[in-house]
Amino acid sequence: MSTLLTVISVNDGKIKRSSLEVLSRCNELASNNGMKSAALVIDSKASEIAEQLKNYGPDEIYTIENPIFKNHLNTPVLKALSTAVSQINPKVVAFPSTESSKDVLGALAANQQTAALSDMSEFDLTDNGVKGKRPVMASKIISSVEASGSPVIISVRSGSYDVVEKESNANIEAIDFNFSDEELQITLKEIISSSSDRVDLSEAEVVVAAGRGVKDEEGRNLISELASVLNAGIGASRALTEAGDYDPSLQIGQTGKVVSPQLYIGVAISGAIQHVAGMANSKVIVAINKDPDAPIFDIADYGLVGDLYKILPPFIEELKKIKQN
Ligand SMILES: Cc1cc2nc3c(=O)[nH]c(=O)nc-3n(C[C@H](O)[C@H](O)[C@H](O)COP(=O)(O)OP(=O)(O)OC[C@H]3O[C@@H](n4cnc5c(N)ncnc54)[C@H](O)[C@@H]3O)c2cc1C
């Protein structure tokens, strides 16, 4: 029976939502096509993660556990992936589109002498491989793509599918894996983490994004308060990261992060194409802008026309009241 293999991405011992989205889609395709859906965890605590995965319906769970995976290093991850693919022999290897999958996708395809389709926004099976859609040119164009091979390797944008919870009594199988330090070509010296990443922006359920109209401390405090009451991640347009008002790691857009929250609130952001490229996949888009002709209103589900300094204080108060009740 053919297998669709989802590679699970883990951050600080937590499964990334984007992996569960890909797994849910693979579960659906496997059940519609008489195939098996399997999940692969490569982590220093893979067996613990595997237990959590039983809530998300895979037919099989494979683990590769080794302390070397505490931090992402391409060489051991690639070796682990190749080992797993040789053993499982899947029809498709599906990753969530993350920084770490970008690092290894092409190398795995070269290693397996097969095709890779990156950053898909939807995918389906064909007789020989995979077909689907891929936003390109800062999401201005959606291309239709198809690849054949064995396996076809794909990565999928976060927010493309819903997470479906489903109990499973999947078998957990540990794959044999050895790695010695001599095999390392790169040594990790230091990780410099950003203190501003209060909530992981690319995984956040709610994002509040600030634009150039947030021009002073009062405005930034309003953004923080709104984010705090909604337990949201804070993002910013390039206008504000370039001005030094927000950390560059918080930039959303073509040259920043891609976010796909359930709710995105853009405050004083005009909606330039380079910004929209990073948030267009959001489920519900709310825009607050004093210019009724701002392009962001073309893609917003809800728009509030007015001055953010007048709109946000009562808006935050109302949200606080709702939360209290
Ligand atoms: C190659 C390239 C890559 C880029 N990559 C990115 C990227 O990754 N991310 C990104 O964001 N940008 C990117 N940009 C920049 C992008 O083109 C825009 O310049 C930028 O997104 C504009 O940011 P903004 O919407 O905050 O500012 P503006 O376009 O200046 O808009 C500010 C908005 O705030 C509104 N406003 C002002 N005051 C108030 C107020 N008091 N109350 C309510 N509304 C108010 C105004 O009406 C206006 O619509 C890139 C540009 C290039 C050329």
PDB file of all heavy atoms in Angstrom, residues 211-213 237-239 251-256 268-270 272 274-275 289-291 306-309, ligand 1:
ATOM      1  N   GLY A 211       1.611  49.507  10.858  1.00  0.00           N
ATOM      2  CA  GLY A 211       2.168  50.172   9.674  1.00  0.00           C
ATOM      3  C   GLY A 211       2.608  51.591   9.996  1.00  0.00           C
ATOM      4  O   GLY A 211       2.527  52.034  11.155  1.00  0.00           O
ATOM      5  N   ARG A 212       3.054  52.301   8.950  1.00  0.00           N
ATOM      6  CA  ARG A 212       3.694  53.601   9.119  1.00  0.00           C
ATOM      7  C   ARG A 212       2.880  54.615   9.918  1.00  0.00           C
ATOM      8  O   ARG A 212       3.407  55.492  10.572  1.00  0.00           O
ATOM      9  CB  ARG A 212       4.016  54.198   7.740  1.00  0.00           C
ATOM     10  CG  ARG A 212       5.110  55.245   7.801  1.00  0.00           C
ATOM     11  CD  ARG A 212       5.252  56.036   6.488  1.00  0.00           C
ATOM     12  NE  ARG A 212       5.356  55.226   5.292  1.00  0.00           N
ATOM     13  CZ  ARG A 212       6.522  54.836   4.730  1.00  0.00           C
ATOM     14  NH1 ARG A 212       7.656  55.185   5.262  1.00  0.00           N
ATOM     15  NH2 ARG A 212       6.498  54.114   3.618  1.00  0.00           N
ATOM     16  N   GLY A 213       1.529  54.445   9.870  1.00  0.00           N
ATOM     17  CA  GLY A 213       0.683  55.385  10.621  1.00  0.00           C
ATOM     18  C   GLY A 213       0.838  55.259  12.139  1.00  0.00           C
ATOM     19  O   GLY A 213       0.426  56.153  12.888  1.00  0.00           O
ATOM     20  N   SER A 237       4.982  46.375   9.135  1.00  0.00           N
ATOM     21  CA  SER A 237       5.336  46.554   7.725  1.00  0.00           C
ATOM     22  C   SER A 237       6.814  46.958   7.656  1.00  0.00           C
ATOM     23  O   SER A 237       7.417  47.333   8.659  1.00  0.00           O
ATOM     24  CB  SER A 237       4.477  47.645   7.093  1.00  0.00           C
ATOM     25  OG  SER A 237       4.884  48.900   7.610  1.00  0.00           O
ATOM     26  N   ARG A 238       7.356  46.903   6.462  1.00  0.00           N
ATOM     27  CA  ARG A 238       8.766  47.251   6.298  1.00  0.00           C
ATOM     28  C   ARG A 238       9.023  48.716   6.650  1.00  0.00           C
ATOM     29  O   ARG A 238      10.119  49.063   7.095  1.00  0.00           O
ATOM     30  CB  ARG A 238       9.210  46.946   4.859  1.00  0.00           C
ATOM     31  CG  ARG A 238      10.659  47.218   4.633  1.00  0.00           C
ATOM     32  CD  ARG A 238      11.221  46.364   3.517  1.00  0.00           C
ATOM     33  NE  ARG A 238      11.875  47.188   2.529  1.00  0.00           N
ATOM     34  CZ  ARG A 238      12.481  46.719   1.452  1.00  0.00           C
ATOM     35  NH1 ARG A 238      12.479  45.433   1.201  1.00  0.00           N
ATOM     36  NH2 ARG A 238      13.070  47.505   0.607  1.00  0.00           N
ATOM     37  N   ALA A 239       7.989  49.561   6.452  1.00  0.00           N
ATOM     38  CA  ALA A 239       8.160  50.976   6.795  1.00  0.00           C
ATOM     39  C   ALA A 239       8.633  51.104   8.245  1.00  0.00           C
ATOM     40  O   ALA A 239       9.500  51.930   8.554  1.00  0.00           O
ATOM     41  CB  ALA A 239       6.841  51.715   6.585  1.00  0.00           C
ATOM     42  N   GLN A 251       8.999  41.715  10.566  1.00  0.00           N
ATOM     43  CA  GLN A 251       8.470  42.191   9.278  1.00  0.00           C
ATOM     44  C   GLN A 251       7.662  41.101   8.573  1.00  0.00           C
ATOM     45  O   GLN A 251       8.097  39.963   8.444  1.00  0.00           O
ATOM     46  CB  GLN A 251       9.624  42.624   8.384  1.00  0.00           C
ATOM     47  CG  GLN A 251       9.151  43.189   7.054  1.00  0.00           C
ATOM     48  CD  GLN A 251      10.315  43.722   6.242  1.00  0.00           C
ATOM     49  OE1 GLN A 251      11.156  44.460   6.756  1.00  0.00           O
ATOM     50  NE2 GLN A 251      10.365  43.354   4.978  1.00  0.00           N
ATOM     51  N   ILE A 252       6.493  41.497   8.098  1.00  0.00           N
ATOM     52  CA  ILE A 252       5.630  40.583   7.348  1.00  0.00           C
ATOM     53  C   ILE A 252       5.702  40.974   5.882  1.00  0.00           C
ATOM     54  O   ILE A 252       5.597  42.167   5.562  1.00  0.00           O
ATOM     55  CB  ILE A 252       4.168  40.694   7.846  1.00  0.00           C
ATOM     56  CG1 ILE A 252       4.076  40.170   9.286  1.00  0.00           C
ATOM     57  CG2 ILE A 252       3.208  39.942   6.941  1.00  0.00           C
ATOM     58  CD1 ILE A 252       2.728  40.433   9.946  1.00  0.00           C
ATOM     59  N   GLY A 253       5.849  40.005   5.000  1.00  0.00           N
ATOM     60  CA  GLY A 253       5.814  40.331   3.580  1.00  0.00           C
ATOM     61  C   GLY A 253       6.816  39.568   2.756  1.00  0.00           C
ATOM     62  O   GLY A 253       7.428  38.604   3.218  1.00  0.00           O
ATOM     63  N   GLN A 254       6.971  40.043   1.547  1.00  0.00           N
ATOM     64  CA  GLN A 254       7.821  39.387   0.550  1.00  0.00           C
ATOM     65  C   GLN A 254       9.241  39.170   1.066  1.00  0.00           C
ATOM     66  O   GLN A 254       9.842  38.130   0.836  1.00  0.00           O
ATOM     67  CB  GLN A 254       7.860  40.288  -0.681  1.00  0.00           C
ATOM     68  CG  GLN A 254       8.615  39.736  -1.854  1.00  0.00           C
ATOM     69  CD  GLN A 254       8.682  40.762  -2.973  1.00  0.00           C
ATOM     70  OE1 GLN A 254       7.837  41.643  -3.074  1.00  0.00           O
ATOM     71  NE2 GLN A 254       9.692  40.663  -3.797  1.00  0.00           N
ATOM     72  N   THR A 255       9.774  40.173   1.758  1.00  0.00           N
ATOM     73  CA  THR A 255      11.130  40.043   2.281  1.00  0.00           C
ATOM     74  C   THR A 255      11.109  39.841   3.802  1.00  0.00           C
ATOM     75  O   THR A 255      12.114  40.057   4.471  1.00  0.00           O
ATOM     76  CB  THR A 255      11.980  41.279   1.916  1.00  0.00           C
ATOM     77  OG1 THR A 255      11.182  42.447   2.104  1.00  0.00           O
ATOM     78  CG2 THR A 255      12.441  41.232   0.488  1.00  0.00           C
ATOM     79  N   GLY A 256       9.954  39.453   4.324  1.00  0.00           N
ATOM     80  CA  GLY A 256       9.826  39.201   5.755  1.00  0.00           C
ATOM     81  C   GLY A 256       9.192  37.840   5.969  1.00  0.00           C
ATOM     82  O   GLY A 256       9.411  36.909   5.198  1.00  0.00           O
ATOM     83  N   ALA A 268      -3.071  50.806  10.169  1.00  0.00           N
ATOM     84  CA  ALA A 268      -2.339  51.857   9.427  1.00  0.00           C
ATOM     85  C   ALA A 268      -1.311  51.256   8.482  1.00  0.00           C
ATOM     86  O   ALA A 268      -0.165  51.692   8.415  1.00  0.00           O
ATOM     87  CB  ALA A 268      -1.687  52.849  10.392  1.00  0.00           C
ATOM     88  N   ILE A 269      -1.749  50.242   7.778  1.00  0.00           N
ATOM     89  CA  ILE A 269      -0.929  49.609   6.722  1.00  0.00           C
ATOM     90  C   ILE A 269      -1.655  49.835   5.401  1.00  0.00           C
ATOM     91  O   ILE A 269      -2.862  49.583   5.303  1.00  0.00           O
ATOM     92  CB  ILE A 269      -0.767  48.094   7.021  1.00  0.00           C
ATOM     93  CG1 ILE A 269       0.237  47.922   8.162  1.00  0.00           C
ATOM     94  CG2 ILE A 269      -0.341  47.323   5.785  1.00  0.00           C
ATOM     95  CD1 ILE A 269       0.573  46.505   8.529  1.00  0.00           C
ATOM     96  N   SER A 270      -0.932  50.323   4.382  1.00  0.00           N
ATOM     97  CA  SER A 270      -1.617  50.693   3.140  1.00  0.00           C
ATOM     98  C   SER A 270      -2.030  49.473   2.328  1.00  0.00           C
ATOM     99  O   SER A 270      -3.010  49.520   1.595  1.00  0.00           O
ATOM    100  CB  SER A 270      -0.722  51.606   2.297  1.00  0.00           C
ATOM    101  OG  SER A 270       0.481  50.941   1.976  1.00  0.00           O
ATOM    102  N   ALA A 272       0.519  47.474   0.460  1.00  0.00           N
ATOM    103  CA  ALA A 272       1.416  47.332  -0.695  1.00  0.00           C
ATOM    104  C   ALA A 272       1.562  45.847  -1.020  1.00  0.00           C
ATOM    105  O   ALA A 272       1.518  45.003  -0.117  1.00  0.00           O
ATOM    106  CB  ALA A 272       2.789  47.929  -0.353  1.00  0.00           C
ATOM    107  N   GLN A 274       3.990  44.034  -1.694  1.00  0.00           N
ATOM    108  CA  GLN A 274       5.064  43.299  -1.000  1.00  0.00           C
ATOM    109  C   GLN A 274       4.657  42.924   0.419  1.00  0.00           C
ATOM    110  O   GLN A 274       5.142  41.943   0.974  1.00  0.00           O
ATOM    111  CB  GLN A 274       6.346  44.139  -0.941  1.00  0.00           C
ATOM    112  CG  GLN A 274       6.977  44.436  -2.286  1.00  0.00           C
ATOM    113  CD  GLN A 274       6.435  45.705  -2.923  1.00  0.00           C
ATOM    114  OE1 GLN A 274       5.478  46.295  -2.422  1.00  0.00           O
ATOM    115  NE2 GLN A 274       7.029  46.093  -4.027  1.00  0.00           N
ATOM    116  N   HIS A 275       3.786  43.704   1.046  1.00  0.00           N
ATOM    117  CA  HIS A 275       3.293  43.341   2.382  1.00  0.00           C
ATOM    118  C   HIS A 275       2.226  42.244   2.253  1.00  0.00           C
ATOM    119  O   HIS A 275       2.265  41.238   2.982  1.00  0.00           O
ATOM    120  CB  HIS A 275       2.715  44.564   3.098  1.00  0.00           C
ATOM    121  CG  HIS A 275       2.254  44.241   4.497  1.00  0.00           C
ATOM    122  ND1 HIS A 275       3.116  44.191   5.573  1.00  0.00           N
ATOM    123  CD2 HIS A 275       1.035  43.881   4.975  1.00  0.00           C
ATOM    124  CE1 HIS A 275       2.447  43.829   6.648  1.00  0.00           C
ATOM    125  NE2 HIS A 275       1.185  43.635   6.310  1.00  0.00           N
ATOM    126  N   ASN A 289      -7.638  51.936   8.780  1.00  0.00           N
ATOM    127  CA  ASN A 289      -6.864  52.912   8.000  1.00  0.00           C
ATOM    128  C   ASN A 289      -7.693  54.172   7.816  1.00  0.00           C
ATOM    129  O   ASN A 289      -8.908  54.097   7.623  1.00  0.00           O
ATOM    130  CB  ASN A 289      -6.515  52.306   6.630  1.00  0.00           C
ATOM    131  CG  ASN A 289      -5.376  53.047   5.953  1.00  0.00           C
ATOM    132  OD1 ASN A 289      -5.462  54.262   5.739  1.00  0.00           O
ATOM    133  ND2 ASN A 289      -4.313  52.320   5.653  1.00  0.00           N
ATOM    134  N   LYS A 290      -7.043  55.347   7.882  1.00  0.00           N
ATOM    135  CA  LYS A 290      -7.821  56.583   7.756  1.00  0.00           C
ATOM    136  C   LYS A 290      -8.134  56.921   6.300  1.00  0.00           C
ATOM    137  O   LYS A 290      -8.983  57.782   6.034  1.00  0.00           O
ATOM    138  CB  LYS A 290      -7.102  57.738   8.452  1.00  0.00           C
ATOM    139  CG  LYS A 290      -5.795  58.161   7.837  1.00  0.00           C
ATOM    140  CD  LYS A 290      -5.197  59.298   8.655  1.00  0.00           C
ATOM    141  CE  LYS A 290      -3.915  59.808   8.019  1.00  0.00           C
ATOM    142  NZ  LYS A 290      -3.225  60.793   8.802  1.00  0.00           N
ATOM    143  N   ASP A 291      -7.459  56.227   5.368  1.00  0.00           N
ATOM    144  CA  ASP A 291      -7.707  56.492   3.938  1.00  0.00           C
ATOM    145  C   ASP A 291      -8.683  55.446   3.395  1.00  0.00           C
ATOM    146  O   ASP A 291      -8.327  54.271   3.272  1.00  0.00           O
ATOM    147  CB  ASP A 291      -6.364  56.430   3.196  1.00  0.00           C
ATOM    148  CG  ASP A 291      -6.528  56.553   1.689  1.00  0.00           C
ATOM    149  OD1 ASP A 291      -7.664  56.812   1.236  1.00  0.00           O
ATOM    150  OD2 ASP A 291      -5.521  56.390   0.979  1.00  0.00           O
ATOM    151  N   GLY A 306     -10.729  55.303   9.671  1.00  0.00           N
ATOM    152  CA  GLY A 306     -10.590  56.328  10.705  1.00  0.00           C
ATOM    153  C   GLY A 306      -9.192  56.335  11.283  1.00  0.00           C
ATOM    154  O   GLY A 306      -8.326  55.532  10.877  1.00  0.00           O
ATOM    155  N   ASP A 307      -9.014  57.245  12.251  1.00  0.00           N
ATOM    156  CA  ASP A 307      -7.712  57.435  12.874  1.00  0.00           C
ATOM    157  C   ASP A 307      -7.487  56.356  13.937  1.00  0.00           C
ATOM    158  O   ASP A 307      -8.305  56.195  14.851  1.00  0.00           O
ATOM    159  CB  ASP A 307      -7.720  58.836  13.524  1.00  0.00           C
ATOM    160  CG  ASP A 307      -6.369  59.200  14.104  1.00  0.00           C
ATOM    161  OD1 ASP A 307      -5.542  58.296  14.309  1.00  0.00           O
ATOM    162  OD2 ASP A 307      -6.163  60.399  14.351  1.00  0.00           O
ATOM    163  N   LEU A 308      -6.382  55.660  13.839  1.00  0.00           N
ATOM    164  CA  LEU A 308      -6.119  54.560  14.783  1.00  0.00           C
ATOM    165  C   LEU A 308      -6.095  55.042  16.226  1.00  0.00           C
ATOM    166  O   LEU A 308      -6.465  54.303  17.148  1.00  0.00           O
ATOM    167  CB  LEU A 308      -4.800  53.857  14.434  1.00  0.00           C
ATOM    168  CG  LEU A 308      -3.459  54.553  14.746  1.00  0.00           C
ATOM    169  CD1 LEU A 308      -2.882  54.066  16.083  1.00  0.00           C
ATOM    170  CD2 LEU A 308      -2.458  54.288  13.655  1.00  0.00           C
ATOM    171  N   TYR A 309      -5.662  56.298  16.422  1.00  0.00           N
ATOM    172  CA  TYR A 309      -5.555  56.814  17.796  1.00  0.00           C
ATOM    173  C   TYR A 309      -6.943  57.045  18.404  1.00  0.00           C
ATOM    174  O   TYR A 309      -7.084  57.106  19.610  1.00  0.00           O
ATOM    175  CB  TYR A 309      -4.735  58.112  17.808  1.00  0.00           C
ATOM    176  CG  TYR A 309      -3.281  57.857  17.482  1.00  0.00           C
ATOM    177  CD1 TYR A 309      -2.829  57.878  16.162  1.00  0.00           C
ATOM    178  CD2 TYR A 309      -2.375  57.539  18.480  1.00  0.00           C
ATOM    179  CE1 TYR A 309      -1.499  57.619  15.864  1.00  0.00           C
ATOM    180  CE2 TYR A 309      -1.038  57.270  18.192  1.00  0.00           C
ATOM    181  CZ  TYR A 309      -0.609  57.313  16.883  1.00  0.00           C
ATOM    182  OH  TYR A 309       0.709  57.039  16.591  1.00  0.00           O
TER     183      TYR A 309
HETATM  184  C1  LIG B   1      11.733  44.638  -3.094  1.00  0.00           C
HETATM  185  C2  LIG B   1      10.810  45.153  -2.029  1.00  0.00           C
HETATM  186  C3  LIG B   1      10.467  44.304  -0.997  1.00  0.00           C
HETATM  187  C4  LIG B   1       9.606  44.747   0.026  1.00  0.00           C
HETATM  188  N1  LIG B   1       9.272  43.896   1.026  1.00  0.00           N
HETATM  189  C5  LIG B   1       8.361  44.290   1.947  1.00  0.00           C
HETATM  190  C6  LIG B   1       7.921  43.407   2.983  1.00  0.00           C
HETATM  191  O1  LIG B   1       8.379  42.265   3.111  1.00  0.00           O
HETATM  192  N2  LIG B   1       7.000  43.851   3.850  1.00  0.00           N
HETATM  193  C7  LIG B   1       6.466  45.107   3.782  1.00  0.00           C
HETATM  194  O2  LIG B   1       5.613  45.442   4.621  1.00  0.00           O
HETATM  195  N3  LIG B   1       6.868  45.964   2.822  1.00  0.00           N
HETATM  196  C8  LIG B   1       7.807  45.599   1.921  1.00  0.00           C
HETATM  197  N4  LIG B   1       8.215  46.489   0.983  1.00  0.00           N
HETATM  198  C9  LIG B   1       7.773  47.871   1.098  1.00  0.00           C
HETATM  199  C10 LIG B   1       6.377  48.114   0.539  1.00  0.00           C
HETATM  200  O3  LIG B   1       6.466  48.397  -0.847  1.00  0.00           O
HETATM  201  C11 LIG B   1       5.703  49.319   1.227  1.00  0.00           C
HETATM  202  O4  LIG B   1       6.534  50.466   1.079  1.00  0.00           O
HETATM  203  C12 LIG B   1       5.434  49.112   2.714  1.00  0.00           C
HETATM  204  O5  LIG B   1       4.754  47.898   2.895  1.00  0.00           O
HETATM  205  C13 LIG B   1       4.555  50.263   3.227  1.00  0.00           C
HETATM  206  O6  LIG B   1       4.347  50.120   4.579  1.00  0.00           O
HETATM  207  P1  LIG B   1       3.056  50.793   5.258  1.00  0.00           P
HETATM  208  O7  LIG B   1       1.832  50.230   4.663  1.00  0.00           O
HETATM  209  O8  LIG B   1       3.267  50.683   6.713  1.00  0.00           O
HETATM  210  O9  LIG B   1       3.264  52.339   4.894  1.00  0.00           O
HETATM  211  P2  LIG B   1       2.472  53.257   3.912  1.00  0.00           P
HETATM  212  O10 LIG B   1       2.375  52.652   2.563  1.00  0.00           O
HETATM  213  O11 LIG B   1       3.114  54.601   4.017  1.00  0.00           O
HETATM  214  O12 LIG B   1       1.011  53.314   4.504  1.00  0.00           O
HETATM  215  C14 LIG B   1       0.702  53.875   5.742  1.00  0.00           C
HETATM  216  C15 LIG B   1      -0.805  53.819   5.865  1.00  0.00           C
HETATM  217  O13 LIG B   1      -1.176  54.288   7.144  1.00  0.00           O
HETATM  218  C16 LIG B   1      -2.366  55.044   7.032  1.00  0.00           C
HETATM  219  N5  LIG B   1      -2.399  55.942   8.200  1.00  0.00           N
HETATM  220  C17 LIG B   1      -1.533  56.931   8.496  1.00  0.00           C
HETATM  221  N6  LIG B   1      -1.837  57.486   9.686  1.00  0.00           N
HETATM  222  C18 LIG B   1      -2.921  56.811  10.165  1.00  0.00           C
HETATM  223  C19 LIG B   1      -3.704  56.916  11.352  1.00  0.00           C
HETATM  224  N7  LIG B   1      -3.428  57.822  12.299  1.00  0.00           N
HETATM  225  N8  LIG B   1      -4.748  56.078  11.507  1.00  0.00           N
HETATM  226  C20 LIG B   1      -5.052  55.153  10.556  1.00  0.00           C
HETATM  227  N9  LIG B   1      -4.349  55.023   9.406  1.00  0.00           N
HETATM  228  C21 LIG B   1      -3.291  55.846   9.215  1.00  0.00           C
HETATM  229  C22 LIG B   1      -2.249  55.754   5.704  1.00  0.00           C
HETATM  230  O14 LIG B   1      -3.522  56.104   5.204  1.00  0.00           O
HETATM  231  C23 LIG B   1      -1.537  54.700   4.861  1.00  0.00           C
HETATM  232  O15 LIG B   1      -2.464  53.914   4.132  1.00  0.00           O
HETATM  233  C24 LIG B   1       9.086  46.074  -0.030  1.00  0.00           C
HETATM  234  C25 LIG B   1       9.426  46.912  -1.094  1.00  0.00           C
HETATM  235  C26 LIG B   1      10.278  46.451  -2.067  1.00  0.00           C
HETATM  236  C27 LIG B   1      10.627  47.365  -3.202  1.00  0.00           C
END
